[in-house]
Amino acid sequence: MASGMSSANSSVVTYLLGRNTFFTGKAISKAIIPRSSLRQGTQKRKPKSLSMCFVTADKNEGTTKVEKKTFVQAQNEIKFFSPAEERQARKRSEKQTYLVAAIVSSLGISSMAVLAIHHRFSWQTEGSELQLLEMFGTFALSVGAAVGMEFWARWAHRTLWHASLWHMHKSHHRPRDGPFELNDIFAVINAVPAIALLSYGFFHKGIVPGLCFGAGLGITVFGMAYMFVHDGLVHRRFPVGPIAHVPYLRKVAAAHQLHHSEKFNGLPYGLFLGPQELEEVEGTEGLDKET
């Protein structure tokens, strides 16, 4: 029947609707539309109803049937996606990809850090005497390195990332296309000294290796906190759960948004102490509005 229709009227356009069903055995539909109905003329014509013939072939039974539908009916059965829906679907996919990467890296780093700490302190508690000085040094360097990384990040952000390394950091100030950006390389760079310090402290005994282990541990803790607050809470690259309801972290997120708006000449360049930077330039009112 389909071949008879094509021979009777040669000026038709045939459209394939649906997906390839060679492996599924389901029906394949064709829409046959008269070519004359697709032409645009300069003269006003009386509106006509456009009909479409659907040729359905069942591969299992070897039968063919023709179903006639109006163009409006056929259009309603075809699913179209708007650009906004496509963007939302792409963003959901990007968030899921980054969330998986964040969870895997966090669990991997956390588990290795816990095992390393247990192994390190088991060394320090061997024998009859506790290595109290070494244990205190490890703990003190852990806290000191975590706090010091905030000031290092502030200095590097202002002096390096917004200067000689802007060609890499600018990807963070532009709309992101994909789950990752070139700016993410800085997280890898900061991980190198942390891994080196942890490794040296893990495989050697003594006060100096203990201090190195504490410094590497502090850098690691700061990096994980930075990822969840900066990437998750501020830029919403993945959901962070109850972290979003902590009042001070909400102020931190608002302060970093002001950095991206460049309202205070790029301030604040730090993250966790960003609200304090804004207080120094009398930016408290702007911070309250952003929060």
PDB file of all heavy atoms in Angstrom, residues 88-119:
ATOM      1  N   GLN A  88      19.190  22.353  31.225  1.00  0.00           N
ATOM      2  CA  GLN A  88      18.972  21.786  32.544  1.00  0.00           C
ATOM      3  C   GLN A  88      19.410  20.326  32.604  1.00  0.00           C
ATOM      4  O   GLN A  88      20.017  19.886  33.596  1.00  0.00           O
ATOM      5  CB  GLN A  88      17.501  21.915  32.928  1.00  0.00           C
ATOM      6  CG  GLN A  88      17.049  23.350  33.178  1.00  0.00           C
ATOM      7  CD  GLN A  88      15.578  23.435  33.517  1.00  0.00           C
ATOM      8  OE1 GLN A  88      14.867  22.429  33.507  1.00  0.00           O
ATOM      9  NE2 GLN A  88      15.097  24.641  33.799  1.00  0.00           N
ATOM     10  N   ALA A  89      19.118  19.566  31.561  1.00  0.00           N
ATOM     11  CA  ALA A  89      19.542  18.164  31.531  1.00  0.00           C
ATOM     12  C   ALA A  89      21.063  18.056  31.508  1.00  0.00           C
ATOM     13  O   ALA A  89      21.643  17.189  32.171  1.00  0.00           O
ATOM     14  CB  ALA A  89      18.950  17.471  30.302  1.00  0.00           C
ATOM     15  N   ARG A  90      21.719  18.953  30.760  1.00  0.00           N
ATOM     16  CA  ARG A  90      23.179  18.923  30.711  1.00  0.00           C
ATOM     17  C   ARG A  90      23.787  19.286  32.060  1.00  0.00           C
ATOM     18  O   ARG A  90      24.764  18.675  32.507  1.00  0.00           O
ATOM     19  CB  ARG A  90      23.681  19.878  29.628  1.00  0.00           C
ATOM     20  CG  ARG A  90      25.202  19.806  29.423  1.00  0.00           C
ATOM     21  CD  ARG A  90      25.653  20.610  28.223  1.00  0.00           C
ATOM     22  NE  ARG A  90      25.421  22.030  28.398  1.00  0.00           N
ATOM     23  CZ  ARG A  90      24.480  22.726  27.761  1.00  0.00           C
ATOM     24  NH1 ARG A  90      23.670  22.105  26.902  1.00  0.00           N
ATOM     25  NH2 ARG A  90      24.336  24.017  27.965  1.00  0.00           N
ATOM     26  N   LYS A  91      23.198  20.283  32.744  1.00  0.00           N
ATOM     27  CA  LYS A  91      23.702  20.678  34.056  1.00  0.00           C
ATOM     28  C   LYS A  91      23.510  19.560  35.071  1.00  0.00           C
ATOM     29  O   LYS A  91      24.376  19.327  35.928  1.00  0.00           O
ATOM     30  CB  LYS A  91      23.014  21.959  34.521  1.00  0.00           C
ATOM     31  CG  LYS A  91      23.483  23.218  33.803  1.00  0.00           C
ATOM     32  CD  LYS A  91      22.865  24.450  34.402  1.00  0.00           C
ATOM     33  CE  LYS A  91      23.390  25.708  33.743  1.00  0.00           C
ATOM     34  NZ  LYS A  91      24.851  25.874  33.965  1.00  0.00           N
ATOM     35  N   ARG A  92      22.380  18.855  35.006  1.00  0.00           N
ATOM     36  CA  ARG A  92      22.175  17.725  35.920  1.00  0.00           C
ATOM     37  C   ARG A  92      23.223  16.639  35.687  1.00  0.00           C
ATOM     38  O   ARG A  92      23.743  16.057  36.629  1.00  0.00           O
ATOM     39  CB  ARG A  92      20.765  17.153  35.742  1.00  0.00           C
ATOM     40  CG  ARG A  92      19.670  18.012  36.360  1.00  0.00           C
ATOM     41  CD  ARG A  92      18.376  17.219  36.459  1.00  0.00           C
ATOM     42  NE  ARG A  92      17.880  16.863  35.139  1.00  0.00           N
ATOM     43  CZ  ARG A  92      17.027  17.583  34.441  1.00  0.00           C
ATOM     44  NH1 ARG A  92      16.575  18.732  34.943  1.00  0.00           N
ATOM     45  NH2 ARG A  92      16.614  17.179  33.255  1.00  0.00           N
ATOM     46  N   SER A  93      23.537  16.384  34.427  1.00  0.00           N
ATOM     47  CA  SER A  93      24.555  15.391  34.114  1.00  0.00           C
ATOM     48  C   SER A  93      25.929  15.826  34.623  1.00  0.00           C
ATOM     49  O   SER A  93      26.688  15.020  35.167  1.00  0.00           O
ATOM     50  CB  SER A  93      24.609  15.158  32.600  1.00  0.00           C
ATOM     51  OG  SER A  93      25.644  14.256  32.264  1.00  0.00           O
ATOM     52  N   GLU A  94      26.261  17.126  34.469  1.00  0.00           N
ATOM     53  CA  GLU A  94      27.540  17.634  34.944  1.00  0.00           C
ATOM     54  C   GLU A  94      27.636  17.536  36.464  1.00  0.00           C
ATOM     55  O   GLU A  94      28.685  17.160  37.011  1.00  0.00           O
ATOM     56  CB  GLU A  94      27.724  19.083  34.494  1.00  0.00           C
ATOM     57  CG  GLU A  94      27.881  19.245  32.983  1.00  0.00           C
ATOM     58  CD  GLU A  94      27.910  20.697  32.568  1.00  0.00           C
ATOM     59  OE1 GLU A  94      27.800  21.565  33.478  1.00  0.00           O
ATOM     60  OE2 GLU A  94      28.027  20.982  31.377  1.00  0.00           O
ATOM     61  N   LYS A  95      26.544  17.873  37.175  1.00  0.00           N
ATOM     62  CA  LYS A  95      26.552  17.776  38.631  1.00  0.00           C
ATOM     63  C   LYS A  95      26.745  16.345  39.095  1.00  0.00           C
ATOM     64  O   LYS A  95      27.486  16.077  40.047  1.00  0.00           O
ATOM     65  CB  LYS A  95      25.253  18.352  39.213  1.00  0.00           C
ATOM     66  CG  LYS A  95      25.174  19.872  39.186  1.00  0.00           C
ATOM     67  CD  LYS A  95      23.936  20.351  39.904  1.00  0.00           C
ATOM     68  CE  LYS A  95      23.900  21.877  39.954  1.00  0.00           C
ATOM     69  NZ  LYS A  95      22.707  22.377  40.691  1.00  0.00           N
ATOM     70  N   GLN A  96      26.091  15.403  38.414  1.00  0.00           N
ATOM     71  CA  GLN A  96      26.235  14.001  38.800  1.00  0.00           C
ATOM     72  C   GLN A  96      27.668  13.527  38.582  1.00  0.00           C
ATOM     73  O   GLN A  96      28.228  12.820  39.423  1.00  0.00           O
ATOM     74  CB  GLN A  96      25.258  13.135  37.979  1.00  0.00           C
ATOM     75  CG  GLN A  96      23.800  13.316  38.347  1.00  0.00           C
ATOM     76  CD  GLN A  96      23.502  12.873  39.770  1.00  0.00           C
ATOM     77  OE1 GLN A  96      24.105  11.940  40.281  1.00  0.00           O
ATOM     78  NE2 GLN A  96      22.560  13.541  40.418  1.00  0.00           N
ATOM     79  N   THR A  97      28.273  13.952  37.467  1.00  0.00           N
ATOM     80  CA  THR A  97      29.655  13.548  37.182  1.00  0.00           C
ATOM     81  C   THR A  97      30.607  14.087  38.236  1.00  0.00           C
ATOM     82  O   THR A  97      31.463  13.357  38.773  1.00  0.00           O
ATOM     83  CB  THR A  97      30.072  14.048  35.796  1.00  0.00           C
ATOM     84  OG1 THR A  97      29.176  13.514  34.813  1.00  0.00           O
ATOM     85  CG2 THR A  97      31.499  13.627  35.464  1.00  0.00           C
ATOM     86  N   TYR A  98      30.469  15.383  38.569  1.00  0.00           N
ATOM     87  CA  TYR A  98      31.370  15.976  39.557  1.00  0.00           C
ATOM     88  C   TYR A  98      31.096  15.418  40.950  1.00  0.00           C
ATOM     89  O   TYR A  98      32.019  15.247  41.745  1.00  0.00           O
ATOM     90  CB  TYR A  98      31.218  17.492  39.564  1.00  0.00           C
ATOM     91  CG  TYR A  98      32.334  18.198  40.300  1.00  0.00           C
ATOM     92  CD1 TYR A  98      33.506  18.557  39.648  1.00  0.00           C
ATOM     93  CD2 TYR A  98      32.235  18.484  41.651  1.00  0.00           C
ATOM     94  CE1 TYR A  98      34.536  19.184  40.307  1.00  0.00           C
ATOM     95  CE2 TYR A  98      33.264  19.110  42.332  1.00  0.00           C
ATOM     96  CZ  TYR A  98      34.406  19.463  41.651  1.00  0.00           C
ATOM     97  OH  TYR A  98      35.423  20.074  42.328  1.00  0.00           O
ATOM     98  N   LEU A  99      29.831  15.120  41.253  1.00  0.00           N
ATOM     99  CA  LEU A  99      29.492  14.554  42.557  1.00  0.00           C
ATOM    100  C   LEU A  99      30.148  13.192  42.740  1.00  0.00           C
ATOM    101  O   LEU A  99      30.695  12.881  43.808  1.00  0.00           O
ATOM    102  CB  LEU A  99      27.973  14.433  42.703  1.00  0.00           C
ATOM    103  CG  LEU A  99      27.469  13.792  43.999  1.00  0.00           C
ATOM    104  CD1 LEU A  99      27.901  14.603  45.206  1.00  0.00           C
ATOM    105  CD2 LEU A  99      25.949  13.653  43.972  1.00  0.00           C
ATOM    106  N   VAL A 100      30.104  12.362  41.711  1.00  0.00           N
ATOM    107  CA  VAL A 100      30.749  11.048  41.791  1.00  0.00           C
ATOM    108  C   VAL A 100      32.251  11.208  42.018  1.00  0.00           C
ATOM    109  O   VAL A 100      32.846  10.523  42.854  1.00  0.00           O
ATOM    110  CB  VAL A 100      30.467  10.245  40.507  1.00  0.00           C
ATOM    111  CG1 VAL A 100      31.303   8.971  40.479  1.00  0.00           C
ATOM    112  CG2 VAL A 100      28.988   9.897  40.419  1.00  0.00           C
ATOM    113  N   ALA A 101      32.858  12.149  41.265  1.00  0.00           N
ATOM    114  CA  ALA A 101      34.292  12.378  41.434  1.00  0.00           C
ATOM    115  C   ALA A 101      34.611  12.877  42.838  1.00  0.00           C
ATOM    116  O   ALA A 101      35.605  12.455  43.457  1.00  0.00           O
ATOM    117  CB  ALA A 101      34.783  13.384  40.393  1.00  0.00           C
ATOM    118  N   ALA A 102      33.768  13.770  43.380  1.00  0.00           N
ATOM    119  CA  ALA A 102      34.006  14.310  44.721  1.00  0.00           C
ATOM    120  C   ALA A 102      33.852  13.226  45.788  1.00  0.00           C
ATOM    121  O   ALA A 102      34.663  13.143  46.724  1.00  0.00           O
ATOM    122  CB  ALA A 102      33.040  15.463  44.998  1.00  0.00           C
ATOM    123  N   ILE A 103      32.838  12.378  45.653  1.00  0.00           N
ATOM    124  CA  ILE A 103      32.619  11.325  46.646  1.00  0.00           C
ATOM    125  C   ILE A 103      33.751  10.299  46.612  1.00  0.00           C
ATOM    126  O   ILE A 103      34.281   9.897  47.652  1.00  0.00           O
ATOM    127  CB  ILE A 103      31.258  10.645  46.409  1.00  0.00           C
ATOM    128  CG1 ILE A 103      30.114  11.623  46.728  1.00  0.00           C
ATOM    129  CG2 ILE A 103      31.128   9.390  47.255  1.00  0.00           C
ATOM    130  CD1 ILE A 103      28.749  11.069  46.437  1.00  0.00           C
ATOM    131  N   VAL A 104      34.127   9.892  45.401  1.00  0.00           N
ATOM    132  CA  VAL A 104      35.188   8.881  45.278  1.00  0.00           C
ATOM    133  C   VAL A 104      36.506   9.413  45.838  1.00  0.00           C
ATOM    134  O   VAL A 104      37.201   8.721  46.598  1.00  0.00           O
ATOM    135  CB  VAL A 104      35.346   8.457  43.805  1.00  0.00           C
ATOM    136  CG1 VAL A 104      36.581   7.586  43.629  1.00  0.00           C
ATOM    137  CG2 VAL A 104      34.110   7.716  43.338  1.00  0.00           C
ATOM    138  N   SER A 105      36.860  10.648  45.457  1.00  0.00           N
ATOM    139  CA  SER A 105      38.117  11.215  45.956  1.00  0.00           C
ATOM    140  C   SER A 105      38.070  11.429  47.464  1.00  0.00           C
ATOM    141  O   SER A 105      39.059  11.167  48.170  1.00  0.00           O
ATOM    142  CB  SER A 105      38.413  12.533  45.242  1.00  0.00           C
ATOM    143  OG  SER A 105      37.391  13.488  45.486  1.00  0.00           O
ATOM    144  N   SER A 106      36.930  11.897  47.983  1.00  0.00           N
ATOM    145  CA  SER A 106      36.826  12.142  49.422  1.00  0.00           C
ATOM    146  C   SER A 106      36.925  10.848  50.218  1.00  0.00           C
ATOM    147  O   SER A 106      37.645  10.767  51.220  1.00  0.00           O
ATOM    148  CB  SER A 106      35.509  12.858  49.743  1.00  0.00           C
ATOM    149  OG  SER A 106      35.442  14.111  49.098  1.00  0.00           O
ATOM    150  N   LEU A 107      36.200   9.818  49.772  1.00  0.00           N
ATOM    151  CA  LEU A 107      36.263   8.539  50.485  1.00  0.00           C
ATOM    152  C   LEU A 107      37.654   7.933  50.393  1.00  0.00           C
ATOM    153  O   LEU A 107      38.176   7.381  51.378  1.00  0.00           O
ATOM    154  CB  LEU A 107      35.224   7.582  49.906  1.00  0.00           C
ATOM    155  CG  LEU A 107      33.757   7.927  50.178  1.00  0.00           C
ATOM    156  CD1 LEU A 107      32.839   6.922  49.502  1.00  0.00           C
ATOM    157  CD2 LEU A 107      33.476   7.984  51.673  1.00  0.00           C
ATOM    158  N   GLY A 108      38.272   8.041  49.211  1.00  0.00           N
ATOM    159  CA  GLY A 108      39.609   7.482  49.060  1.00  0.00           C
ATOM    160  C   GLY A 108      40.628   8.189  49.935  1.00  0.00           C
ATOM    161  O   GLY A 108      41.417   7.546  50.649  1.00  0.00           O
ATOM    162  N   ILE A 109      40.612   9.527  49.911  1.00  0.00           N
ATOM    163  CA  ILE A 109      41.562  10.296  50.707  1.00  0.00           C
ATOM    164  C   ILE A 109      41.295  10.111  52.196  1.00  0.00           C
ATOM    165  O   ILE A 109      42.227   9.959  53.004  1.00  0.00           O
ATOM    166  CB  ILE A 109      41.499  11.781  50.318  1.00  0.00           C
ATOM    167  CG1 ILE A 109      41.997  11.966  48.874  1.00  0.00           C
ATOM    168  CG2 ILE A 109      42.341  12.632  51.256  1.00  0.00           C
ATOM    169  CD1 ILE A 109      41.819  13.373  48.357  1.00  0.00           C
ATOM    170  N   SER A 110      40.009  10.119  52.581  1.00  0.00           N
ATOM    171  CA  SER A 110      39.675   9.968  54.000  1.00  0.00           C
ATOM    172  C   SER A 110      40.112   8.607  54.538  1.00  0.00           C
ATOM    173  O   SER A 110      40.688   8.514  55.635  1.00  0.00           O
ATOM    174  CB  SER A 110      38.168  10.151  54.206  1.00  0.00           C
ATOM    175  OG  SER A 110      37.752  11.434  53.786  1.00  0.00           O
ATOM    176  N   SER A 111      39.841   7.555  53.781  1.00  0.00           N
ATOM    177  CA  SER A 111      40.213   6.219  54.249  1.00  0.00           C
ATOM    178  C   SER A 111      41.731   6.078  54.367  1.00  0.00           C
ATOM    179  O   SER A 111      42.241   5.520  55.349  1.00  0.00           O
ATOM    180  CB  SER A 111      39.655   5.150  53.300  1.00  0.00           C
ATOM    181  OG  SER A 111      40.151   5.341  51.980  1.00  0.00           O
ATOM    182  N   MET A 112      42.458   6.615  53.380  1.00  0.00           N
ATOM    183  CA  MET A 112      43.919   6.537  53.454  1.00  0.00           C
ATOM    184  C   MET A 112      44.462   7.371  54.610  1.00  0.00           C
ATOM    185  O   MET A 112      45.419   6.976  55.284  1.00  0.00           O
ATOM    186  CB  MET A 112      44.530   6.987  52.129  1.00  0.00           C
ATOM    187  CG  MET A 112      44.325   5.999  50.986  1.00  0.00           C
ATOM    188  SD  MET A 112      45.249   6.440  49.498  1.00  0.00           S
ATOM    189  CE  MET A 112      44.441   7.961  49.037  1.00  0.00           C
ATOM    190  N   ALA A 113      43.839   8.548  54.849  1.00  0.00           N
ATOM    191  CA  ALA A 113      44.300   9.393  55.950  1.00  0.00           C
ATOM    192  C   ALA A 113      44.054   8.726  57.301  1.00  0.00           C
ATOM    193  O   ALA A 113      44.916   8.765  58.196  1.00  0.00           O
ATOM    194  CB  ALA A 113      43.587  10.751  55.896  1.00  0.00           C
ATOM    195  N   VAL A 114      42.900   8.083  57.456  1.00  0.00           N
ATOM    196  CA  VAL A 114      42.595   7.400  58.725  1.00  0.00           C
ATOM    197  C   VAL A 114      43.567   6.264  58.969  1.00  0.00           C
ATOM    198  O   VAL A 114      44.096   6.090  60.087  1.00  0.00           O
ATOM    199  CB  VAL A 114      41.142   6.891  58.710  1.00  0.00           C
ATOM    200  CG1 VAL A 114      40.890   5.973  59.901  1.00  0.00           C
ATOM    201  CG2 VAL A 114      40.168   8.064  58.740  1.00  0.00           C
ATOM    202  N   LEU A 115      43.844   5.465  57.948  1.00  0.00           N
ATOM    203  CA  LEU A 115      44.792   4.363  58.095  1.00  0.00           C
ATOM    204  C   LEU A 115      46.203   4.876  58.393  1.00  0.00           C
ATOM    205  O   LEU A 115      46.926   4.308  59.225  1.00  0.00           O
ATOM    206  CB  LEU A 115      44.793   3.505  56.829  1.00  0.00           C
ATOM    207  CG  LEU A 115      43.520   2.701  56.543  1.00  0.00           C
ATOM    208  CD1 LEU A 115      43.620   1.989  55.201  1.00  0.00           C
ATOM    209  CD2 LEU A 115      43.266   1.693  57.659  1.00  0.00           C
ATOM    210  N   ALA A 116      46.585   5.969  57.720  1.00  0.00           N
ATOM    211  CA  ALA A 116      47.918   6.528  57.951  1.00  0.00           C
ATOM    212  C   ALA A 116      48.049   7.075  59.378  1.00  0.00           C
ATOM    213  O   ALA A 116      49.082   6.890  60.032  1.00  0.00           O
ATOM    214  CB  ALA A 116      48.206   7.625  56.932  1.00  0.00           C
ATOM    215  N   ILE A 117      46.999   7.756  59.858  1.00  0.00           N
ATOM    216  CA  ILE A 117      47.032   8.293  61.220  1.00  0.00           C
ATOM    217  C   ILE A 117      47.124   7.163  62.246  1.00  0.00           C
ATOM    218  O   ILE A 117      47.904   7.229  63.211  1.00  0.00           O
ATOM    219  CB  ILE A 117      45.790   9.169  61.479  1.00  0.00           C
ATOM    220  CG1 ILE A 117      45.854  10.438  60.615  1.00  0.00           C
ATOM    221  CG2 ILE A 117      45.673   9.545  62.954  1.00  0.00           C
ATOM    222  CD1 ILE A 117      44.579  11.246  60.637  1.00  0.00           C
ATOM    223  N   HIS A 118      46.321   6.116  62.014  1.00  0.00           N
ATOM    224  CA  HIS A 118      46.359   4.978  62.940  1.00  0.00           C
ATOM    225  C   HIS A 118      47.741   4.334  62.946  1.00  0.00           C
ATOM    226  O   HIS A 118      48.299   4.000  64.014  1.00  0.00           O
ATOM    227  CB  HIS A 118      45.305   3.950  62.539  1.00  0.00           C
ATOM    228  CG  HIS A 118      45.300   2.720  63.391  1.00  0.00           C
ATOM    229  ND1 HIS A 118      46.056   1.590  63.069  1.00  0.00           N
ATOM    230  CD2 HIS A 118      44.666   2.435  64.565  1.00  0.00           C
ATOM    231  CE1 HIS A 118      45.870   0.674  63.997  1.00  0.00           C
ATOM    232  NE2 HIS A 118      45.028   1.154  64.906  1.00  0.00           N
ATOM    233  N   HIS A 119      48.321   4.171  61.780  1.00  0.00           N
ATOM    234  CA  HIS A 119      49.645   3.551  61.699  1.00  0.00           C
ATOM    235  C   HIS A 119      50.701   4.444  62.334  1.00  0.00           C
ATOM    236  O   HIS A 119      51.587   3.966  63.054  1.00  0.00           O
ATOM    237  CB  HIS A 119      49.977   3.281  60.231  1.00  0.00           C
ATOM    238  CG  HIS A 119      51.279   2.565  60.037  1.00  0.00           C
ATOM    239  ND1 HIS A 119      51.450   1.244  60.370  1.00  0.00           N
ATOM    240  CD2 HIS A 119      52.466   2.996  59.549  1.00  0.00           C
ATOM    241  CE1 HIS A 119      52.687   0.881  60.100  1.00  0.00           C
ATOM    242  NE2 HIS A 119      53.339   1.929  59.594  1.00  0.00           N
TER     243      HIS A 119
END
